[in-house]
Amino acid sequence: MSCKRYNYVNSVLVGYKKSTFAHYQYFKMKKILHSFLVILLISTSILAQKPEKLTSNQIFEKIEKLNFLGTALYIAAHPDDENTRLIAYLSNKVKARTAYLSLTRGDGGQNLIGPEIRELLGVIRTQELLAARNVDGGEQLFTRANDFGYSKHPDETLKIWNKEAVLSDVVWAIRTFKPDVIINRFNHRTPGTTHGHHTSSAMLSVAAFDLVNDKTKFPEQLKYTETWQPKRLYFNTSSWFYRNKADFEKATEGKLTSFDVGAYYPLKGLSNNELASLASSQHLCQGFGRLTTRGSQKEYIEFLKGDAPKDKEDIFSGINTTWNRIEKGGEIGEILYEVEENFNFINPSKHLPELMKAYKLIQKLKDNHWREIKEKQIKEIIEACAGLYLEASANTSSTAPKTKVSVNFETLNRSTTAIELVSFNSRLENKVYKKNTILTPNKRVTFKEDLVINTTAYSAPYWLKKQASLGMYAVENQLLIGKPETPRPAKIDFHLIIDKIPLTITKNIVRRYAERDKGEIYEPFEVLPKVTTNLKDKVLLFSDNTTKEIPVAIRAGANNVNGFVSLNVPNNWAVSPKRINFNIQQKNDKQTVVFKVTPPKKQTEGKLQISATVNGEEFTKELVEINYNHIPKQSVLINSEAKIVRLNIKKTGTNIGYIKGAGDAIPENLRQIGYLVETINPSKINAENLEKFDAVVLGIRAYNVVKELKFKQKFLLNYVKNGGNLIVQYNTNRRVDVGAPYPLQLSRDRVTDEFAEVRILDKNHPVLNTPNKITTQDFKGWVQERGLYFPNSWNSAYTPILSMNDKGETPKNGSLLIAKYGKGNYIYTGLSFFRELPAGVSGAYKLFANLLSVK
């Protein structure tokens, strides 16, 4: 039977009387389903944690994908690099199994929605990628590469990343995903013209294309997979890579294949570019929320290597994408193409007999790769067609290893097909729970069981379990490499018989509950340590040798937890007492104990580590919960520690006003050195409430994200004119006016090398001498970068203080500009204080104190 696609309107009416009433019912249903899907997509933030419940339209689309046996892999460097238009097109129009391989998790970027940076930001951006794929229909893969920040050349990138290790991960992704077609987002032939990570992603993809079928390359992977050879490799180009559209057309004439990715999907009530915009808008921490677009839109790809397609308009041309591709797949295709052709939108359960027959044949396939993929796909379709609801909901959102948890089970068959729940088992126990229960149509069957959490594995992000290097995460388990998340340890296998055929459906244990002001809430069920500890501040600064009280919060992950906690400090530091006992009766309750820490007399720094001991078992982790509406709640385990710094630092002034921008931890850091920092609500800025501050600081990207500032700038400038200090931290240069008192032009100039030489331009300027003497030694130990988005031209009223540049570039003198305005000082700085202060960089603290104190 042919694999042609069938007209939706005709297919939906097969088997039904074409009466006026039938037409009316059909179109009424179609309208409801369209509306529901649009609401579902737009309300991703509300439904981020709820299980997917498929409509008839969605079931039909999954059957179409089930019947297409072609695979595409899109490769780039970061979250938000992916072209959601092309991924959505391949997944929804072509029906290909499509994945995005992001080499990094975006840890080195900025965060517009909160204070999380580095590893915690990577966790957020991982979930945003998964949310985007949930919208555009793709899958998500990663390598172990750590996003260390902006890089200007792939030579630097690949040195820091460990080129061979990341290349092995790209090869692993290709060998396991087995794409027919690979598409690069960036051009491998233009090093130095864009972000080094970008070019590196393309270079590694091109190299991997020639290695994946070679058994001598990364042979250790072949214990778990096999070699593979993609058919062709493309570059997804556009006029964005050129100065203008004319240059693009001239450079690529006759070389490109184009697609109209503005296709309209009647089953969704959305066009492909609308879908892509919704997917891209999941990247909220990067500020990618955007309007949806519609209508014809071209995407271009350039063939790079492999077997050139005969039909340039079809990237799968010459590749068998039917069921006949695999041995004994033809019989399965005959069944499933028929289901697709005659799909019953009113009652999808009518197809269960055919689907079960196809499922049984899929289980017998010799091709392990396709068997696993198609078995997973068809089980999801069977579950949806039967209206099966299978849930295991714990009475708590987390528990500790080796404990019991009460789980509520709900099973429901909303079809007339005979379904029996034979048994279930927990993946955490070596035990089968017999049920032998007939699931009567639309009759809920509920029961409760106490399950033993027989595991020592936590459900926190696997790539954060070991200390990472600057460029690489440490993951030794080959089977984990590339996975977006840690596989949930708490899974339930429901063993069913559907239409006399055994079938197992696996569900994660979840936590489902309701709050009166929010409604129904789903949370992931986590396995977490029995005890976690926390220090409020990750940098502890001692400006003299005075003893400080350091509170430590202890959280119980189980009931009746008791033991003792201690602090480990460097040899020249003192801590008292040596240990403190704790006793916590209720799970999730906390107890705070206080240690006294005395620094040495001389300037030094080190690490303070917390250790809690319960029944001889040591616990050294802090639990960080990340909870935003657009992604599932995340529980992250990091080392419970802080940097401790004995720093000879002076300051003048006390009261600091802080206007938050895109999110940073600088207010907390300034409190560490004795400032009283008050967060200013932008809507309440006026002349009177600014007077009390010795200095006012604007957070990073404040003018980019706080719309009210343009109406409040007059008050800020009057504050300066009357003798105040205003410190404006970096803003991006796109469509922003920082309202400076004298003209200055923001640029994309940045110095990414944190070791780059810093030259002092005005040694006598007060900002370098009062109250702390600043020398080039204070720029040692900086992290990730010197600074970004420096002004590149400015009025003569400004005094440039510092000069720096990356290797091979001209000096950048705009990192710190100071201008007298009336009686006060206007300061604009692109130095990355938002990274340096949380990292405990001594020189950065001293310089920032001088900025607050300048006269």
Side-chain angles (χ1 to χ4, degrees):
M1 183 173 182
S2 69
C3 186
K4 72 173 188 176
R5 301 293 163 197
Y6 297 89
N7 181 273
Y8 170 64
V9 177
N10 288 336
S11 67
V12 77
L13 295 176
V14 172
Y16 294 91
K17 293 180 181 180
K18 297 183 179 180
S19 63
T20 303
F21 178 75
H23 278 284
Y24 167 75
Q25 291 291 336
Y26 159 63
F27 285 111
K28 180 180 178 183
M29 179 197 72
K30 182 179 177 183
K31 183 177 180 181
I32 292 171
L33 291 176
H34 286 176
S35 300
F36 175 79
L37 183 59
V38 172
I39 292 170
L40 181 67
L41 288 169
I42 293 173
S43 304
T44 303
S45 63
I46 300 172
L47 304 178
Q49 305 185 96
K50 295 188 176 183
E52 188 177 26
K53 300 170 185 176
L54 302 178
T55 66
S56 292
N57 285 13
Q58 291 169 308
I59 295 171
F60 177 72
E61 289 179 309
K62 287 187 179 293
I63 291 172
E64 290 183 300
K65 293 196 75 168
L66 180 66
N67 283 336
F68 188 91
L69 278 72
T71 306
L73 180 64
Y74 198 89
I75 298 179
H78 310 105
D80 73 36
D81 280 346
E82 80 274 25
N83 185 341
T84 53
R85 293 182 300 273
L86 194 49
I87 290 174
Y89 179 85
L90 291 170
S91 182
N92 295 278
K93 180 66 175 178
V94 180
K95 308 300 179 187
R97 181 179 180 232
T98 308
Y100 172 43
L101 173 59
S102 177
L103 269 57
T104 76
R105 296 176 186 267
D107 325 74
Q110 284 86 51
N111 184 359
L112 290 181
I113 62 174
E116 298 88 356
I117 58 174
R118 291 303 306 153
E119 293 87 352
L120 297 180
L121 176 59
V123 172
I124 294 173
R125 298 190 73 187
T126 293
Q127 291 300 317
E128 290 183 338
L129 273 174
L130 289 171
R133 300 294 78 76
N134 190 49
V135 173
D136 62 32
E139 299 176 39
Q140 187 60 52
L141 302 170
F142 291 96
T143 74
R144 290 170 292 174
N146 190 350
D147 179 1
F148 57 85
Y150 194 88
S151 175
K152 294 181 178 179
H153 200 281
D155 287 351
E156 177 197 37
T157 299
L158 295 173
K159 181 179 179 181
I160 294 175
W161 270 356
N162 183 340
K163 178 181 177 180
E164 194 71 3
V166 182
L167 177 59
S168 76
D169 290 357
V170 177
V171 169
W172 170 254
I174 297 171
R175 284 175 173 173
T176 52
F177 193 69
K178 292 181 167 48
D180 301 301
V181 174
I182 297 175
I183 303 174
N184 293 339
R185 180 55 171 144
F186 299 104
N187 193 343
H188 67 287
R189 299 160 295 198
T190 56
T193 61
T194 182
H195 196 322
H197 296 183
H198 293 169
T199 310
S200 294
S201 71
M203 293 169 65
L204 292 169
S205 174
V206 172
F209 187 88
D210 296 327
L211 299 178
V212 290
N213 203 29
D214 186 341
K215 291 183 179 181
T216 68
K217 305 300 182 184
F218 310 111
E220 67 281 359
Q221 297 178 0
L222 301 181
K223 298 176 187 176
Y224 312 101
T225 188
E226 55 195 6
T227 58
W228 177 254
Q229 184 56 60
K231 294 294 183 183
R232 49 193 68 123
L233 176 67
Y234 291 96
F235 162 43
N236 178 204
T237 187
S238 72
S239 57
W240 184 85
F241 293 100
Y242 296 82
R243 288 181 300 177
N244 52 56
K245 190 173 182 180
D247 284 355
F248 166 63
E249 291 174 348
K250 181 179 179 181
T252 60
E253 185 177 0
K255 298 179 180 179
L256 305 181
T257 295
S258 66
F259 306 100
D260 185 352
V261 295
Y264 178 65
Y265 304 128
L267 293 177
K268 299 180 185 296
L270 294 168
S271 58
N272 186 77
N273 28 21
E274 287 177 289
L275 198 65
S277 297
L278 290 168
S280 182
S281 290
Q282 302 309 306
H283 295 296
L284 295 183
C285 73
Q286 291 299 106
F288 266 56
R290 65 185 192 185
L291 290 171
T292 57
T293 59
R294 287 150 291 280
S296 179
Q297 188 173 12
K298 289 289 184 73
E299 280 293 334
Y300 300 90
I301 59 173
E302 176 189 356
F303 174 76
L304 296 179
K305 59 169 56 182
D307 299 330
K310 292 181 180 179
D311 180 359
K312 289 186 177 182
E313 303 304 311
D314 179 9
I315 64 172
F316 286 97
S317 175
I319 301 171
N320 188 350
T321 58
T322 73
W323 276 101
N324 288 320
R325 174 176 186 157
I326 52 180
E327 184 181 348
K328 295 189 176 181
E331 186 179 355
I332 300 169
E334 286 184 12
I335 297 170
L336 294 178
Y337 294 140
E338 185 72 24
V339 171
E340 181 183 342
E341 179 180 0
N342 298 295
F343 185 69
N344 188 325
F345 284 81
I346 303 298
N347 185 11
S349 67
K350 291 284 187 182
H351 299 295
L352 282 172
E354 294 93 343
L355 291 169
M356 292 306 300
K357 190 183 299 183
Y359 167 73
K360 194 172 181 180
L361 292 171
I362 287 172
Q363 284 189 304
K364 296 178 182 178
L365 289 174
K366 294 180 180 179
D367 188 316
N368 293 334
H369 175 72
W370 283 113
R371 185 182 68 247
E372 290 177 8
I373 292 169
K374 295 304 173 183
E375 184 176 331
K376 180 181 178 182
Q377 290 177 343
I378 199 169
K379 281 164 73 169
E380 185 179 14
I381 292 167
I382 290 168
E383 182 182 356
C385 285
L388 262 176
Y389 188 81
L390 303 170
E391 181 181 272
S393 175
N395 62 355
T396 178
S397 61
S398 68
T399 194
K402 307 297 183 180
T403 59
K404 281 188 177 182
V405 64
S406 182
V407 178
N408 297 303
F409 290 82
E410 180 180 344
T411 60
L412 177 62
N413 169 23
R414 287 172 284 195
S415 73
T416 57
T417 298
I419 300 178
E420 179 184 358
L421 173 62
V422 178
S423 63
F424 79 87
N425 68 276
S426 165
R427 297 276 182 95
L428 300 174
E429 294 180 291
N430 187 21
K431 181 179 178 180
V432 175
Y433 294 78
K434 294 287 187 182
K435 291 299 172 183
N436 297 321
T437 301
I438 300 299
L439 300 182
T440 306
N442 214 32
K443 297 292 184 181
R444 259 192 342 147
V445 176
T446 61
F447 49 93
K448 181 182 289 186
E449 298 285 354
D450 290 334
L451 305 181
V452 177
I453 306 301
N454 190 20
T455 181
T456 57
Y458 300 132
S459 46
Y462 69 87
W463 63 95
L464 298 181
K465 289 186 177 180
K466 292 191 174 183
Q467 184 66 43
S469 68
L470 176 62
M472 296 293 294
Y473 282 113
V475 182
E476 295 175 356
N477 186 342
Q478 184 66 54
L479 295 177
L480 284 177
I481 293 173
K483 290 185 180 298
E485 299 180 283
T486 303
R488 296 278 169 188
K491 292 180 181 291
I492 300 295
D493 294 323
F494 291 90
H495 304 296
L496 309 164
I497 293 178
I498 301 179
D499 204 22
K500 300 180 181 179
I501 298 174
L503 179 142
T504 298
I505 294 177
T506 302
K507 296 289 183 182
N508 292 321
I509 296 178
V510 297
R511 166 68 168 144
R512 180 170 71 97
Y513 63 101
E515 291 187 359
R516 295 181 67 179
D517 60 339
K518 295 179 181 178
E520 186 177 61
I521 298 171
Y522 279 83
E523 288 182 352
F525 176 74
E526 311 282 13
V527 179
L528 299 170
K530 188 176 291 185
V531 174
T532 52
T533 56
N534 168 256
L535 283 168
K536 179 183 177 183
D537 298 306
K538 304 311 172 194
V539 177
L540 301 172
L541 274 91
F542 295 75
S543 57
D544 53 35
N545 60 349
T546 303
T547 298
K548 278 189 178 183
E549 291 189 340
I550 306 298
V552 175
I554 307 159
R555 175 190 178 275
N559 291 329
N560 302 316
V561 177
N562 59 79
F564 64 87
V565 64
S566 58
L567 299 187
N568 300 314
V569 295
N571 291 332
N572 50 350
W573 293 69
V575 59
S576 175
K578 295 297 183 183
R579 54 192 262 183
I580 301 176
N581 293 334
F582 65 87
N583 189 328
I584 307 175
Q585 297 301 309
Q586 290 186 323
K587 177 186 171 184
N588 293 330
D589 197 4
K590 294 180 180 180
Q591 180 180 337
T592 299
V593 298
V594 178
F595 290 88
K596 293 182 178 180
V597 175
T598 305
K601 293 182 178 180
K602 293 183 178 181
Q603 186 165 304
T604 186
E605 59 185 50
K607 187 179 291 185
L608 179 151
Q609 298 170 310
I610 307 175
S611 173
T613 302
V614 177
N615 296 327
E617 185 177 0
E618 187 180 29
F619 297 89
T620 60
K621 295 294 183 180
E622 174 187 348
L623 172 63
V624 179
E625 293 183 331
I626 300 174
N627 204 357
Y628 292 101
N629 286 336
H630 67 301
I631 59 174
K633 179 181 176 182
Q634 299 296 298
S635 297
V636 185
L637 296 175
I638 59 175
N639 291 332
S640 188
E641 60 187 29
K643 186 174 182 179
I644 48 176
V645 181
R646 168 67 173 92
L647 175 63
N648 294 319
I649 187 171
K650 300 175 184 178
K651 66 180 186 65
T652 61
T654 301
N655 296 313
I656 306 299
Y658 201 92
I659 302 170
K660 287 188 176 181
D664 59 60
I666 287 181
E668 291 81 358
N669 300 136
L670 295 181
R671 293 184 183 108
Q672 280 285 315
I673 50 177
Y675 285 106
L676 300 177
V677 184
E678 180 181 327
T679 299
I680 302 174
N681 183 335
S683 65
K684 295 182 179 180
I685 294 175
N686 58 46
E688 289 74 26
N689 62 20
L690 293 178
E691 286 180 357
K692 61 182 177 181
F693 296 117
D694 298 308
V696 173
V697 183
L698 275 75
I700 59 173
R701 299 172 74 166
Y703 289 97
N704 294 122
V705 300
V706 184
K707 297 178 181 178
E708 291 167 297
L709 280 181
K710 63 182 177 181
F711 305 113
K712 302 295 183 177
Q713 188 66 12
K714 57 187 177 183
F715 298 116
L716 292 171
L717 292 182
N718 280 334
Y719 164 76
V720 179
K721 186 179 287 186
N722 292 331
N725 266 359
L726 182 66
I727 302 167
V728 181
Q729 297 182 83
Y730 96 92
N731 290 263
T732 63
N733 66 335
R734 285 175 287 186
R735 300 182 296 277
V736 67
D737 178 8
V738 297
Y742 311 109
L744 60 78
Q745 182 66 47
L746 300 185
S747 73
R748 295 183 65 85
D749 286 353
R750 61 199 304 161
V751 177
T752 63
D753 182 0
E754 62 269 34
F755 305 108
E757 179 191 4
V758 175
R759 298 171 294 276
I760 294 175
L761 298 176
D762 188 348
K763 292 182 180 181
N764 296 320
H765 196 283
V767 79
L768 298 178
N769 294 278
T770 306
N772 302 288
K773 180 66 176 178
I774 303 297
T775 70
T776 55
Q777 293 299 307
D778 290 300
F779 294 93
K780 288 187 175 181
W782 283 49
V783 299
Q784 186 159 331
E785 60 193 350
R786 290 295 189 195
L788 61 171
Y789 291 100
F790 298 162
N792 62 356
S793 66
W794 49 85
N795 185 275
S796 59
Y798 295 99
T799 300
I801 304 298
L802 305 171
S803 178
M804 59 192 72
N805 57 271
D806 283 323
K807 184 179 179 180
E809 295 192 356
T810 57
K812 306 294 184 287
N813 296 344
S815 64
L816 179 57
L817 302 175
I818 301 179
K820 267 294 187 185
Y821 183 65
K823 299 178 182 178
N825 296 282
Y826 178 91
I827 302 170
Y828 191 94
T829 178
L831 293 171
S832 59
F833 288 109
F834 73 103
R835 296 195 192 281
E836 311 313 320
L837 300 193
V841 177
S842 300
Y845 273 94
K846 289 170 62 181
L847 179 55
F848 208 95
N850 282 16
L851 296 179
L852 297 171
S853 307
V854 70
K855 298 297 183 182

